[in-house]
């Protein structure tokens, strides 16, 4: 009798806790899938012709130029 | 490349509306649609604060969640964009957005008569080919594909509005806050109109006393 109750409790516990699993709350958007609809990536345009590193460097420069403390140094 | 974000420094914003003008001019946004606007709190009262607001390109965007035609999408850089060909102008995104970013060309018209939704694209255009005329007509200029940041942030005269890689933007802001201190005397009116001079005088005095102390030791 006791073992049956224990087994039932174990099963109920397993099922109950399984519902408490932590799932990521933010969707990972993949290019061309689900809401990550197909679009040309910014570095694939005529200006950079697929050169991602050059695009990132260009943006990094622009980003840093917003910091006037660096600009006056 | 991390997530693209906007950050508006309320201590610096002088409500010049340069960002609004830059955006409207850059994208030839039609009359009645404002992708960006400046909101002022306690207008006219000493200590008033202004911030520039547009689409904040949320990590978990509510507009994307409520759109019945699933017209929104997110780029690898975390920019929330939408497909105007799929938009039916229902206005659900407008009600879902906490910033009031989605705009409709026909204003608060009846359901279905509002026109296609228009919002800030982080100057990243839309699904059409980068830099194409079709893209420009629907979404405005694609500056991101030209290696440039949004026009509003780059035009901001006081650099209150920062845009770009979230980690860099937060670094710039952190550096700024550490240098200027905190509170009302940090920037804005007191620094621009006199407070800064007092600060400089105090710093000079401190430097002089330090120099004199060093000379005394020698």
């Amino acid at each position: 009798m006791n073992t049956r109750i224990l087994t039932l409790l174990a099963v109920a516990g397993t099922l109950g806790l399984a519902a408490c699993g932590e799932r990521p709350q933010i969707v990972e958007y993949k290019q061309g899938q689900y809401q990550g609809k197909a679009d040309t990536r910014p570095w694939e345009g005529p200006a950079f012709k697929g050169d991602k590193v050059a695009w990132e460097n260009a943006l990094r420069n622009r980003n840093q130029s917003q910091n006037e403390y660096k600009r006056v140094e | 490349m991390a997530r693209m974000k906007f950050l508006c420094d309320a201590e610096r914003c002088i409500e010049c509306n340069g960002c609004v003008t830059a955006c409207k001019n850059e994208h030839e946004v039609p009359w009645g649609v404002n992708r960006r606007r400046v909101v002022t709190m306690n207008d006219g009262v000493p200590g008033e604060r202004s911030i520039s607001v547009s689409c904040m390109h949320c990590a978990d965007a509510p507009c994307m969640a409520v759109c019945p035609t699933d017209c929104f999408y997110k780029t690898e850089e975390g920019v929330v964009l939408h497909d105007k060909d799929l938009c039916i102008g229902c206005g659900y995104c407008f009600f879902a957005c906490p910033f009031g970013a989605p705009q409709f060309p026909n204003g608060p018209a009846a359901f279905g008569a509002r026109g296609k939704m228009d919002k800030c694209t982080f100057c990243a255009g839309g699904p059409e080919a980068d830099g194409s005329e079709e893209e420009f007509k629907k979404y405005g200029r694609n500056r991101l594909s030209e290696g440039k940041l949004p026009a509003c942030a780059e035009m901001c005269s006081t650099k209150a509005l920062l845009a770009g890689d979230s980690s860099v933007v937060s670094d710039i802001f952190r550096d700024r806050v550490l240098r200027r201190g905190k509170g009302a005397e940090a920037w804005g009116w007191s620094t621009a109109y006199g407070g800064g001079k007092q600060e400089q005088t105090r710093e000079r005095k401190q430097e002089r006393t330090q120099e004199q102390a060093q000379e005394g030791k020698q």
Side-chain angles (χ1 to χ4, degrees), chain A residues 12-57:
Chain A
T14 321
L15 286 174
L17 286 173
C20 302
E22 200 175 318
R23 287 169 57 214
Q25 300 286 304
I26 294 166
V27 188
E28 267 187 43
Y29 301 102
K30 284 180 185 162
Q31 172 82 352
Q33 284 177 15
Y34 182 50
Q35 285 176 320
K37 293 182 181 72
D39 188 7
T40 347
R41 293 174 171 105
W43 56 88
E44 285 170 351
F48 291 91
K49 297 180 181 78
D51 192 350
K52 194 182 176 187
V53 179
W55 178 77
E56 281 182 346
N57 285 338

Side-chain angles (χ1 to χ4, degrees), chain B residues 142-210:
Chain B
N142 192 336
R143 287 172 60 90
L144 214 63
S145 73
E146 295 166 13
K148 295 170 186 169
L149 290 171
C152 51
E154 294 211 312
M155 284 284 276
C156 181
S157 53
T158 59
K159 286 284 164 272
L161 185 64
L162 301 168
D165 192 342
S166 57
S167 55
V168 180
V169 163
S170 50
D171 276 349
I172 294 172
F173 186 66
R174 196 181 303 114
D175 185 26
R176 189 184 283 181
V177 172
L178 284 171
R179 283 176 194 243
R180 77 182 174 199
K182 58 175 182 175
E185 74 284 353
W187 191 263
W189 305 117
S190 56
T191 313
Y193 303 109
K197 211 173 177 182
Q198 288 167 5
E199 187 79 11
Q200 281 173 359
T201 325
R202 205 182 65 206
E203 278 176 11
R204 267 188 221 135
K205 269 185 187 170
Q206 278 177 349
E207 278 169 18
R208 256 182 236 153
T209 24
Q210 278 174 358

